Amino acid sequence: MKYRFEVERKDYSDFASGRVLYSAPNTTAFPVRLASEIVQRAFDILEAKGAKGPYTIYDPCCGGGFLLATVGFLFSERIAELIGTDIDPDVLEVAAKNLSLLSQAGLEGRERELQGFEAAFGKASHREALASLGRLRALLGGREIKTSCQQRDIATPNAFPIAGSDIVMTDLPYGQLVSWAGEQSSTPLEGLFQNCHGALKKDASVLIIVADKKTKL
């Protein structure tokens, strides 16, 4: 993919999973540069349609919330709300912690945690994490983003409770349809698209699906 917005490579080590952002078992961190590029494309589409924001962004397969948290830090001034759902309650706990970092209270709590690690172990990695936290705090600029996490099976068509999203963006769990589809759906991708359609605003909205080449969308 040719980049239109993130044309320069930058140092995104502040976003490394496990440094300031919490890591979730059996999940992967989404590439920061790609996340920035695709959400800026969505902003561009919405603005061309007259929707100026700030925007509500929903990730229906949010995992540990890495994608949402990354977008929140990079574009806090353009976001009104971030919503994450997942079928796995364990990863949702991590997602909630990551999204809490988009508030001053969440950042202060994580700072105290890292300071405790640094005092107890004296590792350079903890000092570097504290420096990264300072830079992420500067990106947030004192803003607070409304966030929420819910356990939902996005792959099963139902009366879905989330609506009015400007952007739905998600990274599909490649090659693991059974694990994220739940037990009731034999057509998980069809269910996902139906629920995503219901979650979007009807006048101007954008759906972003990231998948491998084997997945037939």
Side-chain angles (χ1 to χ4, degrees):
M1 183 181 75
K2 186 176 181 180
Y3 285 82
R4 291 168 45 204
F5 296 95
E6 285 294 335
V7 293
E8 296 182 7
R9 293 184 179 274
K10 303 173 185 176
D11 180 2
Y12 294 112
S13 58
D14 291 335
F15 294 90
S17 181
R19 179 176 286 200
V20 178
L21 294 173
Y22 296 90
S23 59
N26 303 316
T27 63
T28 57
F30 195 85
V32 177
R33 185 185 180 202
L34 180 58
S36 178
E37 174 70 22
I38 61 177
V39 80
Q40 286 185 85
R41 291 190 182 198
F43 294 157
D44 188 54
I45 292 169
L46 289 171
E47 288 172 350
K49 293 183 176 183
K52 302 300 182 183
Y55 304 111
T56 295
I57 302 178
Y58 168 45
D59 183 348
C61 305
C62 71
F66 187 89
L67 176 57
L68 286 176
T70 297
V71 168
F73 276 114
L74 290 175
F75 302 102
S76 60
E77 76 284 359
R78 306 187 73 175
I79 296 172
E81 183 176 5
L82 295 172
I83 304 168
T85 64
D86 203 279
I87 196 170
D88 186 343
D90 293 328
V91 299
L92 277 175
E93 292 183 10
V94 179
K97 291 169 68 175
N98 277 329
L99 292 180
S100 76
L101 298 175
L102 296 166
S103 69
Q104 299 308 308
L107 279 175
E108 288 170 4
R110 182 57 163 156
E111 185 174 40
R112 288 191 297 269
E113 185 177 33
L114 292 171
Q115 287 171 340
F117 293 154
E118 199 278 329
F121 305 108
K123 291 185 177 181
S125 60
H126 296 138
R127 291 191 292 274
E128 292 166 358
L130 284 166
S132 291
L133 187 146
R135 288 187 286 270
L136 292 178
R137 175 181 279 134
L139 281 177
L140 197 58
R143 288 176 286 271
E144 302 261 345
I145 298 176
K146 182 180 179 182
T147 64
S148 64
C149 292
Q150 303 177 33
Q151 184 181 14
R152 296 290 175 189
D153 179 5
I154 189 66
T156 301
N158 54 27
F160 211 66
I162 296 171
S165 301
D166 299 287
I167 300 168
V168 173
M169 61 186 302
T170 197
D171 182 25
L172 294 186
Y174 311 146
Q176 299 183 28
L177 296 183
V178 174
S179 67
W180 62 262
E183 299 179 355
Q184 301 179 9
S185 176
S186 60
T187 55
L189 286 174
E190 183 175 326
L192 177 140
F193 277 111
Q194 288 184 25
N195 284 329
C196 286
H197 181 265
L200 288 164
K201 283 183 178 177
K202 303 310 177 188
D203 48 357
S205 55
V206 177
L207 172 63
I208 302 167
I209 301 291
V210 180
D212 64 4
K213 293 180 179 179
K214 296 179 182 179
T215 303
K216 303 299 183 183
L217 300 177

